[in-house]
Amino acid sequence: MAEVSHTALTQVPGGTYDLIVLANRLPVDHAVDENGRPCRRRSPGGLVTALHPIMKRRSGAWIGWHGRPGPAPAPFVHDGIHLHPIALTGDEVDGYYEGQSNGTIWPLYHDAVEQPQFHRVWQDRYRAVNRRFAEAAARVAAPGALVWVHDYHLQLVPGMLRELRPDLRIGFFLHIPFPPVELFCQMPMREEIMRGLLGADLVGFQHPQATRNFRTLAADLLGAKVTDRGIWYDGRDVAADTFPISIDVAEQQRLALDPAVRARAAEIRRELGDPRTIVLAVDRLDYTKGIECRLRAYEELLSERRLDPAQTVLVQVAVPTRQQIDQYQALRERVERAVSRINGEYAGIGRLSVHYVHQSFDRAELAALYLAADVMAVTPLRDGMNLVAKEYVATRTDGTGALVLSEFAGAAAELEEAWQVNPHDIDGLKDGIADAAEADVAEQRRRMDPMRAHLHAHDVNRWATGFMGRLDRLSRRWPRSAAA
Ligand code: ADP
Ligand code: F6P
């Protein structure tokens, strides 16, 4: 069951903020529960997972869309965070969110694993909505405030906001990959997007390759002077660097040690028929996540009896996402066909080979699933980071469990001891899953211990303080008056 909240809405008092986060989505969506009562539901995706605990600890405002077309609710407080909803019309949801953000930029930035679509009306709506976000931030930012803009939906905001409020310190962080020159240059708005990003004082990426791509594009497309110190453009210095995002490791560990969660994990194993091997996959139902390659590899492993169909279960949790977009609907049909084909072939009466769940879960239930799983299969074709992989590792407090991880996930640069695989290479992927399933406890711990140690030293708090601290230091080095 997804996390829902019915706590009374507290209105935000008027005033301004020293810290503002801008992201397409607020951390909670307005929704309706199973009894038809209005409620707030945690928004999907890694961005919210990472930023929510940070913003709970600091007093600041979060500006974002509340998840439905139509007028925006009044600003309200949730979990101690001041939320300022932005209204989007139905046309804007089509053009800015489903269109330019998720029909153009998302596939283009993920190696064009699906064909990006380019439409001028989408671009116009993207500009209009980015301006609305910039204006909303300009209204509520205190003098000299720190404004942190997030992700590919809002790439024009830093430039727009700088024009409106040159006194602000502006950071931008991209949660998804930033593509190489050959791909980025397909984008009709390419110079405009680069100028938008360079409106920030600090631009952050998940992976060093993304940072290199950005620096190259700044020089090639805009003629910016790129040095070790930064990017000199339009009379200002802009820093670009790598800040790999992470999770709230302490909170994940707390969940993992909670007796109720541990009991639920044991119950899940029983409900699945106590098989020898439980393989788990948890993704938004997105074509970047490599779900089809994973199902193909699993099917062949069952067919070749490298995994025993009577003793193996795959649990595929597929979080509903972007369901209005054709490519996502087509993916869902293909995945559901593959799941029923595998079950038709290898399941028995009262025993499934693939448990497919197209639902959101609360964090305790997810943690129980992580604890129940012998093998976690994270096989994206391209992913900015992938927090699910980190959550699995953080949950395995006794060092058992086996992570199979795509080398095309940003997390692969940090979780080096995982069974790393190329998801396009089905034979290699099969070997990775089979080896992970066969590993003994000593081998599991040999791999898990260093990954757990890495995560303890690199949690989400370090990510956030690293980014904000850098932004703070830069603005002291480059005084506002020079930028204004
Ligand atoms: P992305 O941002 O592309 O969705 P990530 O793996 O980085 O991918 O982040 C996904 C986040 O969503 C994780 O924090 C994960 O726990 C959460 N999540 C995944 N599946 C579910 C689910 N079924 N219900 C609720 N949250 C989920
Ligand atoms: O970083 C991945 C991401 O796109 C986030 O920006 C977003 O919040 C999340 O996935 C979920 O996607 P959506 O907001 O389109 O449901």
Side-chain angles (χ1 to χ4, degrees), residues 37-104:
R37 281 192 304 161
C39 64
R40 273 156 285 136
R41 196 184 308 260
R42 185 191 171 89
S43 303
L47 181 155
V48 168
T49 302
L51 279 176
H52 191 246
I54 300 298
M55 291 301 283
K56 260 167 75 171
R57 275 183 228 128
R58 296 162 194 254
S59 54
W62 184 318
I63 297 175
W65 177 43
H66 56 291
R68 284 192 303 183
F76 61 99
V77 183
H78 177 83
D79 254 359
I81 313 173
H82 288 200
L83 304 186
H84 289 250
I86 292 277
L88 297 184
T89 64
D91 283 347
E92 286 168 345
V93 175
D94 284 354
Y96 147 79
Y97 171 68
E98 285 161 6
Q100 180 69 11
S101 297
N102 288 314
T104 305

Side-chain angles (χ1 to χ4, degrees), residues 122-149:
W122 290 0
Q123 293 156 24
D124 288 343
R125 292 190 179 134
Y126 185 83
R127 288 184 187 100
V129 173
N130 271 244
R131 182 155 301 284
R132 190 168 311 145
F133 271 82
E135 286 169 353
R139 269 197 303 276
V140 296
L146 193 154
V147 180
W148 195 0
V149 185

Side-chain angles (χ1 to χ4, degrees), residues 25 44-45 47 97 102 106 151-153 175-176 284 321-322:
R25 276 187 193 277
L47 181 155
Y97 171 68
N102 288 314
W106 178 267
D151 229 357
Y152 59 101
H153 317 81
H175 291 251
I176 69 173
R284 279 182 307 102
T321 188
R322 306 175 193 166

